Amino acid sequence: FSERIDGKGSRGDLRQLSININQMLDRIEVLMNGVRQVSDNIAHDLRTPLTRLRNRLSELYNETACPDAQGEVAALIEEADGLLGTFSALLRITQVESGNRRSGFADIDLCTLVSDVIELYEPLAQDKDQQLETGMAKVGAFHGDRNLLFQAVANLVDNAIKYTPEGGRVFVGLSVEPAAFKISVADSGVGIPAGDKEKVFQRFFRVESSRGKQPGNGLGLSLVQAVVRLHEGEISLEDNHPGLRVVIRLPRDTTPVV
Ligand code: ADP
C-alpha cells in the first residue's frame, strides 16, 4: 500500500481505506452494543433468582443456632447483596443511557440537592475523621432529574471519602458560570493516574491500586457520566495535588428563563 500511495490512484486508495475504517468502526460499535445488551439481559434475568436465593439465605440465618454456620451464611448474604447491587447499578446505567428518563425532568434547586448529599455523608466522613465541607453560591433553578443528579453527586462524594485516607479533606463546590452550573467534588486522597483518567468511566474499570483494597464494582462513575450526558453536561477529572477534583458542568441554557 505504501508504494501505491505515492502513485496514481492513491487518493482512491485513501478514500477506500477511510471507508473501510468507518465500516469497521460501525461494526465495532454494533458489536459493543450487542455485548452491552447481553450483559444487561443477563443482569436482568439473574436478578430474580438471586433475590430468591438471598431471601432463603436470610431465613436460614435466622433458623440456624450454630455461630459457625451463621458466619458462613452471613458471608454468602454479603456476596449476594454485592451482586444484586451490581446488577441494579448496571440496569440503572442502561436505563439512563437509553435517554427516556427525560420525562422525569423538573425545576430543581441544586443548593438543596448538594446540602442533602452532604448531610447523608456527614456520618461517614466523621467515621474517617475527614472534613467534609461545602462552598455554594446561590444558583437559580436547574431543569433536570433530581433523583439521578442526587445519585450522581452522592457517588462522587462516596468515592471522595472512600479514596481519601483518614484525616483527609473533601470539598463540594457549587457555582455559576456564564454557560453552566458547576458542581465540583475535590478530595485530598490518592488521586487517579493520568493514564487511567479516561478508563475510569468504563463499566467495571477500577484503578489497579484500589482493587482488593476498597469495596466497589467499578460502575459508580459510569452512572455519573450517563447522568451528566442525559443532562447534556460535561464531566472532567483534574489533579488536586494531592487528590482528585471531579467537575460537572450542567448547561444553563436548558433552564427556563424565570
Ligand atoms: P468503584 O469506586 O465502585 O470502584 P467507580 O466507577 O466509582 O467505581 O470508580 C472507578 C475507579 O476510579 C475506582 O475503582 C477508583 O480506582 C477510581 N476513583 C474513583 N473516584 C476516585 C477518587 N475520588 N480518588 C481516587 N480514585 C478514584
Side-chain angles (χ1 to χ4, degrees):
F1 174 76
S2 55
E3 276 168 25
R4 292 180 61 195
I5 205 156
D6 299 324
K8 269 188 182 174
S10 62
R11 210 171 278 166
D13 285 339
L14 277 178
R15 202 173 307 127
Q16 188 55 44
L17 186 66
S18 130
I19 291 170
N20 289 349
I21 289 175
N22 279 330
Q23 282 173 344
M24 249 153 60
L25 289 176
D26 286 349
R27 185 93 192 102
I28 289 172
E29 174 138 15
V30 170
L31 285 172
M32 285 306 291
N33 285 339
V35 169
R36 263 189 221 137
Q37 189 62 51
V38 169
S39 75
D40 292 340
N41 289 349
I42 291 173
H44 192 265
D45 291 350
L46 288 182
R47 206 161 49 153
T48 312
L50 188 62
T51 306
R52 223 176 288 135
L53 188 74
R54 196 247 175 253
N55 292 344
R56 181 70 194 113
L57 283 170
S58 173
E59 283 166 14
L60 273 177
Y61 181 87
N62 293 329
E63 284 163 14
T64 185
C66 164
D68 281 354
Q70 257 192 344
E72 272 180 44
V73 176
L76 286 173
I77 290 177
E78 204 175 304
E79 278 186 42
D81 283 346
L83 264 180
L84 280 170
T86 301
F87 290 167
S88 301
L90 206 51
L91 293 170
R92 194 165 317 129
I93 293 168
T94 310
Q95 223 180 23
V96 176
E97 280 178 349
S98 72
N100 49 19
R101 294 274 314 229
R102 288 186 76 96
S103 52
F105 276 31
D107 282 355
I108 54 176
D109 176 2
L110 292 173
C111 283
T112 315
L113 184 144
V114 170
S115 304
D116 289 350
V117 174
I118 299 281
E119 196 182 317
L120 182 69
Y121 278 93
E122 193 64 59
L124 202 63
Q126 270 173 19
D127 280 351
K128 285 189 81 176
D129 203 17
Q130 291 174 349
Q131 282 172 272
L132 176 56
E133 291 169 343
T134 177
M136 290 192 281
K138 245 197 144 21
V139 302
F142 176 72
H143 198 65
D145 186 312
R146 190 186 198 275
N147 290 341
L148 290 179
L149 284 167
F150 183 93
Q151 180 74 62
V153 179
N155 281 5
L156 296 182
V157 174
D158 192 81
N159 278 349
I161 293 174
K162 186 162 68 171
Y163 298 109
T164 297
E166 299 229 339
R169 182 166 179 262
V170 174
F171 182 84
V172 185
L174 172 64
S175 56
V176 195
E177 293 180 342
F181 293 123
K182 177 178 163 190
I183 300 172
S184 61
V185 179
D187 63 58
S188 61
V190 296
I192 295 182
D196 285 337
K197 283 213 173 82
E198 282 298 315
K199 298 185 201 152
V200 290
F201 294 109
Q202 293 167 10
R203 294 176 184 199
F204 299 112
F205 182 86
R206 306 196 73 207
V207 174
E208 182 71 45
S209 58
S210 30
R211 283 181 224 150
K213 282 195 196 141
Q214 296 291 351
N217 54 20
L219 291 173
L221 286 179
S222 305
L223 179 69
V224 177
Q225 188 184 50
V227 171
V228 170
R229 282 185 176 160
L230 180 75
H231 291 85
E232 287 161 18
E234 283 171 12
I235 182 165
S236 59
L237 303 179
E238 300 166 4
D239 288 327
N240 193 36
H241 309 292
L244 183 75
R245 182 184 303 111
V246 187
V247 178
I248 290 177
R249 285 191 170 83
L250 301 168
R252 287 181 70 191
D253 54 3
T254 59
T255 309
V257 180
V258 279

